[in-house]
Amino acid sequence: MDYSLENHKDYIGKHVSELPTPSLVVNLPVLKTNVETLHRDVEKLGIGFRPHVKTLKSLEVTRLMMADGKYRGIIASTIPEIKGALPLVKEGILEECLYGLPVYPGILPRLIELRKSLRIMLMVDNEQQVEFLEESASSKQPWDVFIKLDVGSRRAGVEANSAALNRLVEHAQKSSAISIYGFYCHAGHSYGGRSRDEAEKTLNIEVSSVLAAAKLLPSDRQLVISVGSTPTAHVVESLKASMPENIKLELHAGNFPCNDLQQVSTGLVTETQQSVSVAAEVCSVYPQRNEALVNAGVIALSREASAFSGFGRVVGSPAWGVVRLSQEHGILGTSEGRKVDEDFKVGQKVQLWCNHACIAAAAFYVYYVVDEQGIVRDTWIPWKGWITHPQQLESTLLFPSLPRLTIMSYADVAASGPKQSPEEAAAPQPPQVITDESASTASLVDVDMPSVHTVPNDFLEQEIKTETQAARIEREEEAREEKRKRDEAAAKAKRADNWLIQQFSRLSDGSATGLVIANFATVVGLGAYLGYKGWGLYEKGKLDWKAVTLGAGILAGVTAAEGAVGRYLYKGKKGGS
């Protein structure tokens, strides 16, 4: 567990520059302003609001986003998030939670358990989800569901205006396991926008898509349509669509209390509207490459991207950014002519804006909450992890068609086995050690052997100390002997070749030339003779392939012999020149 959980309260009252690094810092005044701004926009439009708790995952922020109970529902994508928010049920603030992923069999037992504490709503985007809910015994009490639409992000949801959507709605209407509560979409692709106009256009596509889906149901059916993302939430006041009487519009968003460089990239917020930063410390400075090293890397900042180059920016020093990352290393660099040794020194504390606050925050076990002066006023503990197992839950209660499965602890498994006597259960006693080797060699072993042996006392004096060493020496000796034999045979062949060359070199230039002429004449004469004999056989009708092959073989043999003689003659002449 993170050490910060043991001493985080000790930093209350201290300046942010005194925090251990890396740490996640939350500027509370900025966070509250961000939340209040969105609440005002929602109130002006008279629409509903459902915050997503996915970013800071803490009780304090969730309470702020719900305006202390003015908004009664949340979205959560993990079981610890839902369980962490349960104290708000006791406070009378929280009434319902929408599980943020399309429902799947593995999560259903835990949602059933939580259903005892508050209203749990589900998302579906596939007929198979409806089918397994129909198989579950939990569906004796129908689940309220949102049908999730894909309006362009291609992350989750059934495609809007598709045949698959029509089939899903038809199936859901007929099912006794679920009740359609409304339609839901999330414009995750809005993070790629770079202007207010783009965000407004995306928001209008969201609204028109869910309204079109709602028309698949009777016009008197009361429905909730839930739209939003943090970028489109920033422009929700521009919404001018009028809602049918049976439709209630709801906005959802999650990152809006924090904001980050991705949000700044959209052009909808400024850097000063970011409430989350990462405190880090300069570990080293490299003037030769004009860079500095900080102790915040991938784990603390994430590899998320934005319109800004790199993976983060230095708060108060916009010329510097995190240009490279490894697990715990962050490299600060600049392209604006600043000098690193003038702006940073070893031990200096810095704060970094991050590209994606949701991902960066997930790495930290404590959030340090500061005021306008950077003084720590509180610490928040986020909800961590994904799954918590209900005790002794049997899957057959949920899905009768599945094999019976009982969750047991290791202690339960051990207790269910055969009983042992105390003597059998006791650990075996170690064998007695007899030391009859000298202290200098008793611990030496031949690690190349298939098994480990104790070596004799004269081990260090032996020329060959292991069997593997002896085998290696033997192989090396055999290889040397084979090489010696090959070298000797090659030397004999070379001596014979040199003798022939010497003999031909004794010939004078005239004699050699005469020999070549004689050889040439022999080949030509032999060829003419064979041709004459072949013609005679042809005239007599006795020329066959056997005779032709024999003549060609004789001519080829003589030619080869002439070539060999010529080669040695050439070598001899060259050697004598």
Side-chain angles (χ1 to χ4, degrees), residues 15 31 99 105 117 162 199 207 294 312 342 364 367 434 494 496 544:
H15 191 264
L31 184 144
Y99 182 65
S117 301
S162 66
V207 174
V294 296
E342 294 178 358
F364 295 91
Y367 305 150
I434 301 175
K494 187 173 183 180
D544 55 15

Side-chain angles (χ1 to χ4, degrees), residues 119-298:
R119 181 187 187 188
I120 298 292
M121 309 171 75
L122 306 179
M123 286 187 190
V124 297
D125 64 0
N126 191 294
E127 288 186 77
Q128 294 180 36
Q129 295 149 356
V130 180
E131 291 169 358
F132 79 69
L133 287 173
E134 290 171 339
E135 293 181 9
S136 169
S138 69
S139 296
K140 293 177 181 178
Q141 177 187 350
W143 293 89
D144 290 323
V145 302
F146 276 97
I147 293 179
K148 186 166 187 178
L149 305 181
D150 177 11
V151 294
S153 63
R154 303 179 67 84
R155 185 175 72 178
V158 59
E159 187 176 349
N161 303 313
S162 66
L165 172 60
N166 294 343
R167 291 193 299 270
L168 177 58
V169 171
E170 183 179 358
H171 191 162
Q173 278 188 284
K174 296 177 180 178
S175 176
S176 60
I178 63 174
S179 174
I180 300 176
Y181 185 81
F183 294 88
Y184 180 103
C185 65
H186 175 74
H189 56 299
S190 63
Y191 283 73
R194 294 294 177 261
S195 69
R196 185 178 185 86
D197 288 343
E198 288 183 78
E200 291 179 358
K201 180 180 178 181
T202 302
L203 177 60
N204 287 322
I205 291 174
E206 286 188 276
V207 174
S208 62
S209 297
V210 290
L211 285 176
K215 292 180 180 179
L216 297 174
L217 296 173
S219 59
D220 59 348
R221 176 74 176 269
Q222 296 297 311
L223 295 171
V224 173
I225 58 173
S226 188
V227 301
S229 63
T230 295
T232 55
H234 287 311
V235 296
V236 70
E237 78 281 1
S238 68
L239 191 61
K240 296 180 174 61
S242 59
M243 297 295 114
E245 291 184 0
N246 66 314
I247 300 294
K248 178 183 177 182
L249 177 62
E250 172 185 279
L251 178 72
H252 58 256
N255 194 0
F256 69 97
C258 302
N259 292 321
D260 47 37
L261 290 177
Q262 287 186 349
Q263 302 298 330
V264 177
S265 298
T266 65
L268 303 173
V269 298
T270 65
E271 280 198 356
T272 58
Q273 290 175 276
Q274 297 176 92
S275 66
V276 168
S277 62
V278 174
E281 187 168 347
V282 177
C283 304
S284 192
V285 177
Y286 309 101
Q288 66 275 18
R289 64 177 197 245
N290 203 36
E291 292 179 337
L293 170 66
V294 296
N295 63 338
V298 175

Side-chain angles (χ1 to χ4, degrees), residues 34-111:
N34 292 339
V35 172
E36 291 166 359
T37 299
L38 185 58
H39 285 172
R40 283 197 302 269
D41 292 338
V42 168
E43 290 172 14
K44 288 179 184 178
L45 290 171
I47 62 177
F49 179 61
R50 186 186 297 268
H52 201 311
V53 301
K54 68 188 181 74
T55 303
L56 292 183
K57 302 188 180 192
S58 60
L59 201 61
E60 295 84 355
V61 178
T62 303
R63 187 182 287 111
L64 288 172
M65 291 193 294
M66 297 182 70
D68 286 326
K70 182 173 183 177
Y71 307 106
R72 314 289 287 181
I74 62 172
I75 307 170
S77 295
T78 69
I79 297 301
E81 290 171 11
I82 304 175
K83 294 189 71 173
L86 289 181
L88 299 180
V89 176
K90 295 181 179 180
E91 294 178 20
I93 293 175
L94 177 62
E95 292 181 352
E96 64 183 38
C97 176
L98 170 62
Y99 182 65
L101 276 73
V103 65
Y104 53 96
I107 201 67
L108 193 58
R110 295 155 186 89
L111 296 176

Side-chain angles (χ1 to χ4, degrees), residues 56 164 169 171 175 293 335 453 483 485 503 546 559 571:
L56 292 183
V169 171
H171 191 162
S175 176
L293 170 66
S335 59
H453 303 284
K483 184 176 184 302
K485 291 179 180 179
Q503 300 307 311
K546 183 176 180 181
T559 302
K571 287 184 179 180

